[in-house]
Amino acid sequence: MPLQRIPPGPLPSDDQRSSASIAQATAESGLRQRLARMAAGVARLAQGIEQQLSRNTEGEHPSASGLKAGRVYLVGAGSGAGDLLTLRALHCLRQADSVVYDRLVGDDVLAMIPSGVERHYVGKARGHHSVAQEQIGQRLVSLALQGKSVVRLKGGDPGVFGRMGEELAALDEAGIRCEIVPGITAASSACAAMGVPLTDRAHAQTLRLITAQQCREGGEPDWASLAREDETLVFYMGLNKLDAICQGLRGAGLADDWPIMLVANASLPDQQSLIGRLEDMPRRLAQSPLPSPCLIIVGSVVTLAHQRLEREAHAVTEPVTLSNV
Ligand code: SAH
């Protein structure tokens, strides 16, 4: 609509002018206040929309840090060694506003978190229980709702015995978007460090990752289904269940001399291992206790680790001569 000019009226007297200017000033200040209130309302609305978008839309709203604001990244830290962290995980650590981590994340990995990034430890303190899973979920939700990009850093792969399902459920319930960055699980690290494959055409056509926690509170793994010679069994969280595992598998038909290997602190400088048979491993562990975290690997692939160690010992002790090079 075109603007209309208002024709000027007769000029007011001095009295009229002063009462008119008071009235005008009052009106202006009222208008300014209303405008200020409206501006604040618009700003609040814009902020709310911005937060909502960063939670609910794909791609468009990175936080100042580069990851997306109000989003949670469930990131695998690998099994301890810093150089087993994936590039994607490293990118997340460098860009995050907050990192929520627990006990199994290696020191080398923690050292890669930039100093300005908020850290939240939710692992077990000495002599105490870990932070309850429900509280971890709440913490993730609350940080994300503050508009932060949150990295939830877990040892190994977040999807392998990492209680990722519960965290995903808490985030879903709160309407918070989430991305998953896989990590190198302890089974892969331990076998790689021992120089053996997890599966092998000649040894194991199936791989099973098992939580030994099933051995607790009356729950028993299905030993009969586990006691197979064409599989590699990897027990997580099993160090204090070794007796039950060896007995269960022998009871279900695996031979007493079936190969078993324990690998503690896999991939770390203080890695330790024991290689033996189902019948003698509990005794050997009692003689040479291993620290936690420790993995138990059962299966024919373990014989390859044994052969490799023997070859290496031989290579070290045998003097190098022209005839054996
Ligand atoms: N998400 C982790 C597993 C968490 S459950 C992963 O993918 O590796 C914790 C168990 O993992 C420990 O009790 C232990 O059995 C195993 N574990 C984790 N890190 C390990 C390591 N560096 N060496 C040996 N076992 C490890």
Side-chain angles (χ1 to χ4, degrees):
M1 194 171 103
L3 282 177
Q4 281 181 344
R5 285 183 74 83
I6 299 170
L11 288 176
S13 68
D14 273 2
D15 274 2
Q16 277 176 327
R17 225 179 279 149
S18 68
S19 61
S21 59
I22 290 168
Q24 191 182 349
T26 314
E28 274 175 9
S29 104
L31 190 64
R32 259 195 224 107
Q33 280 173 8
R34 270 176 41 212
L35 281 173
R37 275 202 301 275
M38 275 166 67
V42 169
R44 272 201 305 275
L45 193 66
Q47 195 183 11
I49 291 171
E50 187 67 31
Q51 277 176 359
Q52 201 58 35
L53 282 172
S54 64
R55 282 205 293 277
N56 296 333
T57 63
E58 196 66 65
E60 308 301 333
H61 294 267
S63 74
S65 63
L67 296 183
K68 303 202 181 77
R71 194 170 286 201
V72 174
Y73 297 76
L74 293 172
V75 177
S79 55
D83 53 1
L84 288 181
L85 192 75
T86 65
L87 289 177
R88 194 180 295 186
L90 179 61
H91 171 79
C92 287
L93 289 185
R94 288 190 174 153
Q95 307 290 314
D97 294 322
S98 309
V99 176
V100 179
Y101 67 101
D102 46 37
R103 191 175 53 90
L104 281 178
V105 176
D107 292 343
D108 287 358
V109 172
L110 293 178
M112 292 185 213
I113 304 174
S115 55
V117 173
E118 251 179 49
R119 294 172 187 220
H120 300 259
Y121 178 66
V122 290
K124 210 185 233 174
R126 200 178 279 274
H128 291 85
H129 290 296
S130 348
V131 176
Q133 191 57 45
E134 202 181 319
Q135 285 172 355
I136 297 176
Q138 283 166 4
R139 177 92 59 103
L140 297 177
V141 168
S142 128
L143 289 168
L145 286 177
Q146 290 165 34
K148 291 178 175 159
S149 53
V150 184
V151 166
R152 170 66 172 119
L153 192 60
K154 288 165 172 285
D157 183 281
V160 177
F161 305 126
R163 304 194 72 173
M164 188 173 93
E166 282 127 295
E167 290 176 18
L168 279 177
L171 295 170
D172 280 350
E173 199 179 318
I176 289 165
R177 289 183 66 97
C178 173
E179 289 177 30
I180 298 167
V181 178
I184 296 183
T185 189
S188 300
S189 285
C191 276
M194 298 302 289
V196 301
L198 275 164
T199 66
D200 183 273
R201 284 159 63 110
H203 293 272
Q205 292 78 48
T206 308
L207 167 65
R208 295 221 214 181
L209 306 184
I210 306 146
T211 166
Q213 294 302 303
Q214 271 186 320
C215 302
R216 255 191 204 157
E217 289 156 16
E220 279 280 306
D222 181 357
W223 296 118
S225 86
L226 293 176
R228 292 177 54 135
E229 294 189 353
D230 58 353
E231 296 188 352
T232 303
L233 308 177
V234 183
F235 290 91
Y236 286 68
M237 297 172 274
L239 194 55
N240 60 359
K241 297 285 163 211
L242 182 69
D243 277 8
I245 291 169
C246 292
Q247 268 178 32
L249 292 174
R250 287 164 71 194
L254 283 183
D256 291 349
D257 63 353
W258 191 243
I260 177 170
M261 164 168 88
L262 270 52
V263 187
N265 289 324
S267 82
L268 292 165
D270 49 354
Q271 174 177 305
Q272 295 176 50
S273 59
L274 288 174
I275 298 179
R277 302 174 300 206
L278 286 180
E279 67 179 347
D280 68 3
M281 191 50 96
R283 181 180 50 78
R284 297 190 57 186
L285 181 65
Q287 280 169 355
S288 331
L290 293 183
S292 212
C294 183
L295 216 57
I296 299 173
I297 300 167
V298 179
S300 172
V301 290
V302 172
T303 55
L304 300 173
H306 184 61
Q307 287 162 12
R308 173 175 286 268
L309 283 183
E310 283 199 327
R311 261 201 315 278
E312 282 171 5
H314 182 71
V316 171
T317 51
E318 187 95 334
V320 179
T321 65
L322 277 182
S323 60
N324 64 17
V325 166

